[in-house]
């Protein structure tokens, strides 16, 4: 079997279900396990170091909201999900870390493809591709007009 474990990295926007459905269909057809991850970018990381205020409550709120949205996403999928994970840190590095830790064969990400030099993939998908310990599938996502 080509892919036994698939890691689906989602941003939990409304478009996430499109990417999730593709990953679920792929897993169903291959008999692969699906692991879903969402990374909350740490505010310290996003702003390059020290934030001069206590952000503990904000981070907790982001975590709670992400877990709620992850549950909704899980309910929308017609597949058994092996595991879900909401984590915090640098998006690409956390996805790489979890992919290695869970020994996945494929990382699936959504690609908006709208940003400057990363026009083909989108900045996050491009970052995941470089340094990934396995294959990466970028699923094209477009907002409804």
């Amino acid at each position: 079997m080509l892919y036994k474990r698939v890691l689906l990295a989602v941003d939990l926007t409304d478009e996430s279900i499109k990417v999730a459905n593709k990953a679920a269909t792929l897993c169903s057809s291959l008999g692969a396990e699906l692991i879903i991850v969402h990374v909350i970018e740490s505010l310290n990381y996003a702003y390059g170091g020290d934030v001069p205020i206590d952000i503990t409550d904000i981070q907790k709120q982001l975590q709670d909201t992400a877990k709620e949205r992850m549950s909704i996403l899980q309910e929308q999928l017609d597949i058994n999900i092996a595991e879900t994970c909401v984590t915090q840190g640098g998006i690409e590095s956390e996805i790489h870390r979890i992919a290695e830790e869970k020994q996945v064969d494929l990382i699936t990400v959504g690609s908006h493809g709208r940003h400057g030099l990363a026009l083909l993939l989108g900045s996050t998908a491009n970052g995941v591709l470089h340094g990934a310990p396995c294959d990466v599938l970028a699923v094209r996502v477009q907002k409804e007009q």
Side-chain angles (χ1 to χ4, degrees):
M1 179 167 39
L2 186 56
Y3 300 118
K4 296 180 219 161
R5 301 184 107 194
V6 175
L7 179 66
L8 168 63
V10 291
D11 60 7
L12 297 176
T13 61
D14 292 339
E15 293 86 25
S16 292
I17 189 62
K18 296 172 189 173
V19 181
N21 280 329
K22 292 245 178 154
T25 300
L26 180 67
C27 287
S28 290
S29 65
L30 295 174
E33 287 184 351
L34 180 62
I35 301 167
I36 305 176
V37 64
H38 172 70
V39 180
I40 300 168
E41 189 167 38
S42 171
L43 294 176
N44 286 336
Y45 184 86
Y47 291 102
D50 293 331
V51 177
I53 58 171
D54 183 10
I55 57 171
T56 308
D57 289 342
I58 297 168
Q59 293 290 163
K60 170 89 170 89
Q61 213 170 20
L62 290 171
Q63 192 94 7
D64 292 345
T65 301
K67 286 179 180 177
E68 287 173 24
R69 292 193 67 129
M70 183 72 86
S71 292
I72 292 167
L73 180 66
Q74 282 181 263
E75 290 171 8
Q76 293 175 316
L77 295 176
D78 189 25
I79 188 172
N80 250 352
I81 298 164
E83 190 176 342
T84 63
C85 176
V86 174
T87 186
Q88 189 172 315
I91 295 172
E92 293 90 353
S93 60
E94 279 297 294
I95 292 169
H96 292 158
R97 181 187 66 77
I98 292 168
E100 286 181 21
E101 184 180 291
K102 304 296 180 187
Q103 299 178 336
V104 301
D105 307 299
L106 177 69
I107 299 170
T108 306
V109 294
S111 174
H112 297 281
R114 319 176 265 230
H115 305 291
L117 294 176
L119 191 60
L120 290 177
L121 287 176
S123 59
T124 300
N126 191 42
V128 170
L129 177 63
H130 298 293
C134 59
D135 291 348
V136 176
L137 172 64
V139 176
R140 182 85 169 117
V141 175
Q142 294 178 325
K143 285 193 176 206
E144 301 294 321
Q145 297 294 341

